[in-house]
Amino acid sequence: MQPQLKKTRNIGFIAHIDAGKTTVTERVLYYTHKTYKIGEIDDGTTVMDFMDEERKRGITITSAATTVFWDDHRFNIIDTPGHVDFTIEVERSLRVLDGAVIIFCGRGGVEPQSETVWRQADRYKVPRLAFVNKMDRAGASFSHCVNMIRSRLRAVPIPIQIPIGREDHFEGVIDLVTMKALYNTDEDGSTVTVGEIPEACREEAQVYHDQMIEMLAEFDEKLFEKYVDSSPVTEIDIHSALRMVTLTNKAVPVLCGAALRNKGVQPLLDAIVNYLPAPSDKPPIEGHDPKSAERILRKPNIQEPFCGLVFKVMTDKDSRLVFLRIYSGKIEKGDMVYNSTAGKSERLARIFQMHANKRERLDIAYAGEIVAVTGLKYAMTGDTLCPEDKPIVLERIQYPEPVISLAIEPKRKVDEDKLIDCLNKLAQDDPTLTFKIDPDTGQKVISGMGELHLEVIANRLRDDFNTDINTGRPQVVYRETITSPVKHSAEFDRVISDKRQFAGISIELRPLERKSGFVFEDKIRKPDVPKQVRDWLESSLVESAQCGVLSGYPLVDVRVSVLDVIFDQNDISEIALKAVANQALSDAQRKAASKLLEPIMNVEITVPDKYTGGVIGDMTARGGQIQEVNLLDDDLAGSSALDVLKTITAFAPLSALFGYSTALRSLTEGRGTFSMEFSHFGDKL
């Protein structure tokens, strides 16, 4: 049956690690009767964390989708990881979601990854609710968490609930819209009892209620008029204003609870219905024609041509699932769809509604739905699917650059091809995982977002793909150069197989500026030297420059000029010419005082202002050279050091940056991020 767009909510649960996101999701599944037993992380019985690695570590690693029903509304939910190493899962989920619930720990408040996911939601303009979880924990403070949302995230939080009691005495929540107390009275929390606000909480509740009305009046003209005239404000007025400020991202309603103690989850579900957008509330999706680049819009209804975005690919030993957000039109199993990004047509074999790792077959899927399909061999994350006669290309998903690398090799030589095949499959699933074979060292190197990320990849290779591997630190590839100009002459005169092989050469080596590479120059003035001889000398010198005299690394930032050559005009010897060129270059390098150059990376670090000094000191100790320190947003000059972000640009040797992601998180309490790219081979800093 076709779902009603107005009663559909495509939402995600996102948070810092250990804020209780998966615990909230498991209660949502239970209270919506999707499951009949509450899954617990500590017991390894959660539905949404279904991978062995997730249950073993007690954290979410990959996003999981499910569909539940509440109050006659359909929720398509994506549960995302909280660890920074798996931020791509949040990135691609937010790209296709209409709304989000951001969960904060009542004690920790706005933690480092909270900031990251908040900025991601800002980038995609995703309306959101805030849920302050763990109100039963020692040190939990609702007001402190609300203040941190305001100061650190520069948002406008509007509490629509406050807790009844705190820490061990947390009993329930006060709904500031209805001014009623809500309690979960039975052990599993399935029954919500509505009562009067306790006497001890009435004054505080009234203060919060008045503040809520006052804040909403700033954004809602109708409410403002009633506020100024001191007219009665109804629940409908408040609901309408809250929905408006949420959908327009002007403010964020804040709720609270304690999911582990089964308190406060049902009111959160009601808030999702009341305040987060349906697909029909969102503007038409925008794309462009793949040929003309003309702007195209697709409205969220089934009368429009089909348009969908691939936001996730999941590959295992047996199948390849492609996760798809349908923005317009509909698809049926067996349909031919056109991948406008790759320029290929493929047939949809099956369509599934996902419940974590379980699949429910569908014959048809409509606009506004999130489904998984099989049969698509070429579809990758970020690709657009559409009819071939109505092509459109949607904006692609942006991926963060990998920041850490690991050398990897199979324990058995016979598993070489299998390892490469498995890595290619994993890289299709995870765009932040890259894999290459280093042309200089021959090492297989994987790169990712952090040490945990690569550790999980290594474990998946062993456990999921049955590939035994060894891992280690990647080799740093150096280069060689010279420090002074030199001229050198050499001769080659030998008898090989009863035949004399003779040639002589004069060359000049000169050091060049960094990033110049290896430059060959023909300065032979003799007009009778054949072109073939000149070509042999050039190819031999270029080839010889690939192996320097110090440690066998390539020779760079050097100009080699051939000044003269002598040979037997009657019997030109290719062997002798190439041998003498190789010999002359090696000898000249030794005379010119060769030295090693190391790879220098261009590093850009983003940190809150209060950590700038420590990060600069650490980078300098690593041999880095600071280039610039700038405000990320000039408009924030003079703001609190907690708010202001600064970017530090530096040159640093690659050899000093292994493990830097972990060090930076330690220096900045997890709030710093960085990216790096190769700049040049240079002198040791």
Side-chain angles (χ1 to χ4, degrees):
M1 185 177 69
Q2 179 184 346
Q4 298 181 48
L5 282 181
K6 284 190 175 298
K7 292 192 173 184
T8 297
R9 301 289 185 272
N10 293 313
I11 60 168
F13 290 104
I14 56 181
H16 181 88
I17 191 170
D18 204 32
K21 174 178 44 55
T22 298
T23 303
V24 172
T25 309
E26 292 296 321
R27 269 63 185 176
V28 169
L29 297 179
Y30 181 72
Y31 298 139
T32 57
H33 307 296
K34 189 72 177 183
T35 59
Y36 297 95
K37 182 181 179 182
I38 298 176
E40 301 291 358
I41 293 174
D42 292 341
D43 299 335
T45 57
T46 55
V47 173
M48 303 303 276
D49 288 351
F50 57 86
M51 292 174 58
D52 290 340
E53 279 288 312
E54 292 177 313
R55 292 183 171 177
K56 182 170 65 177
R57 295 174 183 274
I59 63 171
T60 303
I61 290 172
T62 184
S63 56
T66 190
T67 299
V68 301
F69 292 88
W70 178 260
D71 191 23
D72 200 29
H73 283 67
R74 175 194 184 103
F75 293 179
N76 298 316
I77 298 173
I78 297 181
D79 179 35
T80 63
H83 197 284
V84 65
D85 282 13
F86 309 105
T87 187
I88 180 59
E89 296 289 342
V90 182
E91 185 79 27
R92 57 186 176 185
S93 297
L94 285 173
R95 173 66 176 81
V96 298
L97 291 172
D98 299 324
V101 177
I102 300 189
I103 299 170
F104 299 93
C105 173
R107 182 172 61 182
V110 178
E111 296 172 280
Q113 187 65 1
S114 308
E115 294 181 77
T116 302
V117 298
W118 194 275
R119 288 197 295 265
Q120 289 172 310
D122 279 341
R123 184 160 57 251
Y124 293 114
K125 297 180 173 60
V126 176
R128 69 214 76 159
L129 302 175
F131 181 74
V132 181
N133 192 28
K134 300 188 178 183
M135 290 307 304
D136 59 321
R137 296 282 291 272
S141 171
F142 179 75
S143 59
H144 178 63
C145 194
V146 171
N147 290 334
M148 290 181 77
I149 294 173
R150 182 179 294 109
S151 62
R152 284 198 178 183
L153 303 178
R154 301 190 292 278
V156 181
I158 300 181
I160 61 174
Q161 292 178 353
I162 59 173
I164 301 173
R166 55 183 298 181
E167 300 179 349
D168 289 341
H169 302 292
F170 175 68
E171 299 176 10
V173 300
I174 295 172
D175 186 330
L176 298 174
V177 178
T178 62
M179 291 300 281
K180 295 291 184 181
L182 307 177
Y183 302 94
N184 294 85
T185 50
D186 43 13
E187 186 177 346
D188 65 359
S190 56
T191 301
V192 179
T193 301
V194 180
E196 296 301 317
I197 299 173
E199 182 68 33
C201 301
R202 286 181 185 174
E203 183 177 347
E204 181 186 21
Q206 190 61 51
V207 170
Y208 269 98
H209 175 82
D210 293 343
Q211 288 177 348
M212 177 184 69
I213 301 296
E214 185 178 342
M215 294 178 73
L216 288 172
E218 294 181 19
F219 302 107
D220 188 282
E221 187 174 331
K222 180 181 176 182
L223 200 64
F224 177 75
E225 291 176 358
K226 288 192 172 186
Y227 179 75
V228 171
D229 296 340
S230 299
S231 301
V233 177
T234 67
E235 291 179 21
I236 295 176
D237 294 333
I238 298 173
H239 281 305
S240 175
L242 281 170
R243 182 168 175 79
M244 184 274 293
V245 298
T246 306
L247 297 188
T248 55
N249 280 308
K250 293 178 179 177
V252 180
V254 185
L255 302 91
C256 60
L260 191 62
R261 289 179 58 182
N262 309 319
K263 296 182 183 296
V265 176
Q266 291 96 329
L268 174 62
L269 294 174
D270 292 334
I272 291 171
V273 169
N274 292 331
Y275 309 129
L276 288 183
S280 53
D281 294 318
K282 303 289 285 186
I285 191 72
E286 182 178 328
H288 67 270
D289 187 288
K291 293 182 180 178
S292 66
E294 178 186 353
R295 181 171 172 263
I296 301 173
L297 298 178
R298 289 278 191 268
K299 296 178 182 178
N301 64 57
I302 65 169
Q303 308 304 325
E304 292 272 307
F306 162 65
C307 169
L309 183 72
V310 175
F311 68 94
K312 181 180 174 71
V313 177
M314 184 179 290
T315 307
D316 57 27
K317 292 176 289 187
D318 305 315
S319 64
R320 186 175 195 265
L321 272 179
V322 173
F323 287 76
L324 183 67
R325 163 68 194 266
I326 304 175
Y327 285 102
S328 63
K330 62 181 180 179
I331 52 172
E332 298 184 50
K333 67 176 183 179
D335 279 355
M336 289 294 295
V337 295
Y338 179 64
N339 186 329
S340 58
T341 310
K344 296 179 181 292
S345 292
E346 297 186 86
R347 187 177 300 279
L348 295 175
R350 293 188 178 89
I351 306 172
F352 298 101
Q353 180 179 293
M354 297 300 296
H355 177 47
N357 60 336
K358 296 181 174 60
R359 311 175 187 182
E360 179 183 330
R361 289 194 183 187
L362 302 174
D363 293 327
I364 188 169
Y366 300 92
E369 292 196 74
I370 294 174
V371 296
V373 300
T374 59
L376 304 182
K377 296 180 181 178
Y378 302 105
M380 304 292 287
T381 299
D383 286 357
T384 304
L385 303 182
C386 56
E388 191 166 1
D389 60 342
K390 298 284 186 181
I392 183 175
V393 177
L394 303 178
E395 180 187 355
R396 298 207 61 149
I397 299 171
Q398 300 299 314
Y399 314 132
E401 291 293 323
V403 297
I404 190 170
S405 298
L406 186 72
I408 189 169
E409 65 178 16
K411 286 187 176 180
R412 300 181 303 172
K413 193 70 176 174
V414 294
D415 286 339
E416 286 271 0
D417 293 340
K418 180 182 177 182
L419 174 61
I420 293 174
D421 181 57
C422 294
L423 286 171
N424 285 331
K425 286 182 178 179
L426 290 172
Q428 288 182 23
D429 293 4
D430 183 353
T432 59
L433 173 69
T434 62
F435 161 65
K436 68 176 182 178
I437 299 177
D438 193 296
D440 295 303
T441 65
Q443 277 188 316
K444 297 174 184 64
V445 178
I446 58 174
S447 301
M449 299 306 300
E451 292 173 358
L452 178 60
H453 183 201
L454 296 185
E455 184 181 334
V456 168
I457 293 296
N459 288 342
R460 286 195 64 191
L461 286 169
R462 296 185 186 102
D463 300 337
D464 297 351
F465 294 92
N466 298 318
T467 304
D468 290 330
I469 56 171
N470 293 319
T471 58
R473 180 168 163 169
Q475 293 180 20
V476 176
V477 179
Y478 294 87
R479 292 292 185 265
E480 297 184 20
T481 192
I482 60 172
T483 58
S484 59
V486 66
K487 291 183 179 180
H488 182 71
S489 298
E491 285 191 357
F492 184 86
D493 190 358
R494 292 186 186 175
V495 176
I496 302 175
S497 299
D498 298 329
K499 183 177 180 180
R500 186 190 181 202
Q501 307 287 347
F502 170 76
I505 190 174
S506 293
I507 62 172
E508 180 184 36
L509 270 62
R510 283 194 170 275
L512 300 176
E513 293 181 357
R514 297 293 170 255
K515 303 186 184 181
S516 298
F518 179 82
V519 179
F520 171 83
E521 186 177 38
D522 183 352
K523 297 182 73 173
I524 303 172
R525 301 303 179 206
K526 295 179 180 177
D528 58 344
V529 176
K531 182 179 183 302
Q532 188 178 44
V533 169
R534 299 173 187 269
D535 291 344
W536 284 340
L537 292 174
E538 180 178 358
S539 64
S540 180
L541 288 168
V542 170
E543 183 179 341
S544 298
Q546 297 304 306
C547 186
V549 296
L550 288 180
S551 302
Y553 293 112
L555 186 66
V556 296
D557 301 341
V558 174
R559 175 186 286 114
V560 177
S561 304
V562 181
L563 306 177
D564 193 14
V565 61
I566 53 176
F567 52 90
D568 188 340
Q569 292 281 1
N570 298 320
D571 191 6
I572 300 175
S573 169
E574 179 183 359
I575 294 174
L577 286 165
K578 288 189 171 183
V580 76
N582 182 48
Q583 177 185 326
L585 183 60
S586 297
D587 293 344
Q589 285 181 69
R590 293 185 179 93
K591 289 170 62 176
S594 293
K595 68 174 182 179
L596 286 179
L597 299 176
E598 62 180 338
I600 304 298
M601 311 302 287
N602 186 9
V603 186
E604 184 174 286
I605 311 163
T606 302
V607 294
D609 187 27
K610 64 179 289 189
Y611 305 108
T612 302
V615 171
I616 289 175
D618 177 73
M619 180 55 64
T620 303
R622 292 171 182 269
Q625 291 181 344
I626 305 300
Q627 303 299 304
E628 290 182 322
V629 180
N630 295 314
L631 277 175
L632 190 62
D633 188 343
D634 291 338
D635 294 337
L636 295 176
S639 299
S640 162
L642 288 174
D643 299 335
V644 176
L645 294 177
K646 286 193 172 180
T647 57
I648 303 167
T649 305
F651 288 134
L654 175 61
S655 59
L657 294 175
F658 291 116
Y660 185 63
S661 58
T662 303
L664 181 63
R665 289 173 197 167
S666 176
L667 284 167
T668 63
E669 298 179 5
R671 300 182 65 197
T673 60
F674 83 105
S675 62
M676 66 178 179
E677 61 181 2
F678 174 76
S679 174
H680 62 281
F681 284 95
D683 301 312
K684 191 170 181 62
L685 299 177

